[in-house]
């Protein structure tokens, strides 16, 4: 969910434009001559809900107001290793250049908060951060890869429109091309950009994925929604690494989601201890947000928890071979980072847990030492560096 990291006008994945749908684009005039655009807009909302989207809106694609913020963010280097964020420059704010002929975007959101779970899920998730035996994996990544789920559903929505009006020009995206998803979604009234840079909605919080269909049909655009963060700064104050520098300004290089997913090298040592037991992504800013008491549960089984990822044993995960990693995580977004980064992240988490357990839980501390030492001699240099750091956290000597 890359756009979660982008500042005001930015779980974060590499672009996969080859996977997007890009059919031939017909003459727009031939599409809209006999179409009741307002009726079509109303119908596609209904079709979208039937496909698992909880909200569908229509956005104008003029994002010129977002260009300055994007370019300043890139100039400051806040995108870190995510070179693809800079590859297209201001084109990210110009959907009509990405897909010529585009005049509107159908913006959609799909909730991912697992259907099964405690009622006070935010309190439950925050409590898990204090359990040194378990690894914390971002809620969005506990089920199937959202790229595939949303892209398939958006494609079905486009096909339903085509059935109703005939061929039209469109292209489907979900975190898979140089598109400013949050800017488009907020422009279409799906919510407003919160101070943590995520999209927020009064009726749905922020626990949802975003997807778009760029179209050449001049559907009536929806109005924007006014922001409702007020003076609240809970998302800023809770960030473990201080990645949210100020409202709407996020330094991805300090963000745990970036460090555990996008960053390919060694995790900077000063940021390892603040990571705690977060081994893939970070939900802290969303857990602190008051609007997430209204977060919707997922309606699709795709986002049900797999692999026991609601409370996985960290030492057990560290013992997975590469073959086990690939087999167990088939269809999971986590598989994208590869086994080496997975072990790197877990080594940091184990080190932080060892620091706690060595003075409070001798049995757990010994399990962690054993797990780390068992892999050290065969580890890659990157992983070994983090294992050695983890073993050095042992305060029992």
């Amino acid at each position: 969910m890359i756009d979660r990291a982008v500042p005001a006008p930015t779980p974060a994945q590499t672009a996969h434009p080859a996977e997007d749908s890009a059919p031939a684009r017909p003459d727009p005039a031939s599409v809209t001559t006999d179409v009741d655009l307002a009726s079509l807009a109303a119908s596609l909302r209904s079709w979208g809900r039937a496909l698992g989207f909880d909200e569908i809106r229509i956005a104008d694609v003029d994002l010129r107001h977002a260009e300055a913020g994007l370019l300043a963010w890139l100039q400051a280097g806040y995108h870190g290793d995510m070179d693809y964020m800079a590859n297209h420059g201001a084109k990210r704010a110009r959907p009509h250049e990405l897909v010529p002929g585009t005049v509107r975007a159908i913006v959609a959101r799909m909730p991912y908060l697992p259907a099964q779970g405690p009622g006070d899920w935010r309190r439950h998730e925050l409590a898990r951060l204090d359990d040194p035996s378990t690894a914390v994996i971002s809620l969005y990544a506990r089920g199937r890869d959202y790229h595939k789920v949303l892209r398939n559903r958006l494609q079905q929505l486009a096909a339903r429109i085509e059935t109703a009006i005939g061929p039209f020009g469109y292209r489907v995206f979900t975190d898979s091309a140089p598109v400013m998803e949050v800017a488009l979604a907020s422009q279409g009234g799906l919510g407003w950009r919160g101070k943590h840079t995520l999209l927020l909605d009064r009726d749905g919080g922020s626990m949802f994925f975003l997807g778009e269909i760029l179209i050449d049909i001049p559907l009536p655009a929806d109005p924007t929604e006014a922001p409702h963060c007020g003076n609240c700064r809970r998302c800023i104050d809770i960030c473990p690494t201080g990645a949210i520098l100020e409202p709407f300004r996020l330094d991805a290089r300090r963000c745990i989601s970036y460090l555990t997913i996008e960053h390919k090298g060694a995790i900077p040592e000063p940021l390892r201890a603040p990571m705690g037991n977060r081994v893939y992504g970070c939900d802290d800013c969303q857990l602190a947000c008051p609007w997430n008491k209204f977060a919707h549960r997922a309606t699709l089984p795709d986002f049900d928890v797999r692999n026991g990822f609601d409370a996985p044993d960290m030492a057990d995960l560290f013992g997975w071979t590469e073959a086990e990693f690939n087999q167990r995580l088939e269809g999971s977004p986590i598989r994208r980072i590869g086994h080496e980064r997975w072990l790197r992240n877990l080594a940091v988490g184990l080190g932080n847990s060892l620091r706690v357990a060595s003075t409070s839980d001798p049995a757990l501390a010994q399990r962690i030492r054993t797990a780390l030492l068992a892999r050290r001699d065969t580890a890659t240099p990157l992983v070994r560096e983090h294992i050695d750091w983890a073993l050095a956290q042992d305060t029992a000597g």
Side-chain angles (χ1 to χ4, degrees):
M1 293 175 284
I2 287 304
D3 194 37
R4 293 171 59 170
V6 178
T10 63
Q13 306 297 339
T14 303
H16 305 281
E19 299 177 0
D20 296 315
S21 175
R25 184 171 291 274
D27 179 3
S30 66
V31 175
T32 59
T33 302
D34 298 315
V35 176
D36 182 336
L37 298 179
S39 177
L40 176 59
S43 294
L44 68 87
R45 289 185 174 89
S46 176
W47 301 332
R49 284 191 291 272
L51 288 168
F53 298 102
D54 66 346
E55 291 291 346
I56 299 279
R57 294 286 188 271
I58 310 300
D60 183 84
V61 294
D62 185 352
L63 298 178
R64 285 176 292 181
H65 63 279
E67 287 190 18
L70 169 63
L71 295 177
W73 185 77
L74 293 170
Q75 182 63 35
Y78 292 148
H79 58 300
D81 291 343
M82 298 182 290
D83 294 336
Y84 55 88
M85 294 293 294
N87 287 345
H88 299 277
K91 192 173 184 178
R92 287 184 173 272
R94 302 172 186 177
H96 63 284
E97 292 186 8
L98 179 65
V99 182
T102 295
V103 295
R104 293 287 187 271
I106 299 172
V107 289
R109 72 182 200 213
M110 181 177 286
Y112 62 76
L113 185 63
Q116 303 300 319
D120 193 353
W121 62 273
R122 291 186 298 159
R123 184 184 299 274
H124 175 77
E125 292 295 329
L126 285 168
R128 291 185 59 238
L129 296 172
D130 295 323
D131 182 354
S133 68
T134 65
V136 174
I137 292 168
S138 188
L139 279 150
Y140 86 87
R142 296 178 189 177
R144 284 196 64 203
D145 189 339
Y146 68 96
H147 295 85
K148 298 177 181 178
V149 177
L150 264 72
R151 188 159 46 242
N152 177 270
R153 299 281 170 152
L154 288 168
Q155 186 61 46
Q156 290 184 55
L157 178 58
R160 182 66 182 84
I161 297 170
E162 196 164 46
T163 298
I165 68 171
F168 69 103
Y170 71 89
R171 190 168 175 185
V172 166
F173 297 103
T174 178
D175 195 15
S176 55
V179 177
M180 296 186 71
E181 293 190 311
V182 173
L184 270 180
S186 59
Q187 183 138 303
L190 273 185
W192 71 92
R193 189 185 287 270
K195 294 177 182 178
H196 48 17
T197 76
L198 299 168
L199 193 74
L200 277 173
D201 177 64
R202 287 186 295 180
D203 299 320
S206 63
M207 311 300 289
F208 47 73
F209 299 119
L210 296 175
E212 310 79 38
I213 309 177
L214 300 186
I215 60 174
D216 61 0
I217 309 172
L219 293 173
D222 287 303
T224 60
E225 182 177 353
H228 298 281
C229 287
N231 295 322
C232 179
R233 51 176 290 125
R234 295 182 195 181
C235 61
I236 300 173
D237 294 338
I238 200 173
C239 181
T241 57
I244 308 174
L245 306 178
E246 59 187 51
F248 317 112
R249 192 172 182 83
L250 183 144
D251 185 346
R253 297 169 300 182
R254 300 186 62 85
C255 177
I256 293 175
S257 286
Y258 164 84
L259 291 170
T260 56
I261 300 172
E262 297 289 346
H263 184 54
K264 298 178 178 63
I267 293 173
E269 192 163 335
L271 299 178
R272 295 177 189 176
M275 284 173 56
N277 57 348
R278 305 166 186 83
V279 302
Y280 188 92
C282 178
D283 291 326
D284 287 26
C285 60
Q286 299 190 86
L287 298 177
C289 179
W291 290 112
N292 268 326
K293 63 185 175 183
F294 302 116
H296 297 172
R297 296 281 179 173
T299 58
L300 299 182
D302 301 86
F303 304 126
D304 290 347
V305 177
R306 298 181 173 193
N307 294 295
F309 276 171
D310 49 348
D313 183 275
M314 195 167 354
D316 286 348
L317 297 183
F318 195 65
W320 285 3
T321 64
E322 186 169 9
E324 287 177 302
F325 171 85
N326 289 326
Q327 186 273 323
R328 290 173 182 264
L329 297 182
E330 186 174 359
S332 165
I334 299 174
R335 191 175 178 185
R336 293 174 180 270
I337 69 171
H339 189 235
E340 184 182 44
R341 272 188 270 175
W342 173 248
L343 293 177
R344 176 201 64 184
N345 297 347
L346 285 164
V348 173
L350 287 167
N352 289 324
S353 293
L354 181 58
R355 188 185 315 109
V356 174
S358 58
T359 58
S360 62
D361 190 338
L364 175 59
Q366 186 55 46
R367 281 193 68 225
I368 294 173
R369 293 185 198 103
T370 300
L372 290 167
L373 289 170
R375 188 172 285 284
R376 185 189 181 281
D377 290 343
T378 58
T380 66
L382 175 66
V383 174
R384 187 179 303 121
E385 173 190 342
H386 292 78
I387 289 176
D388 288 343
W389 177 87
L391 290 168
Q393 307 310 301
D394 190 349
T395 59

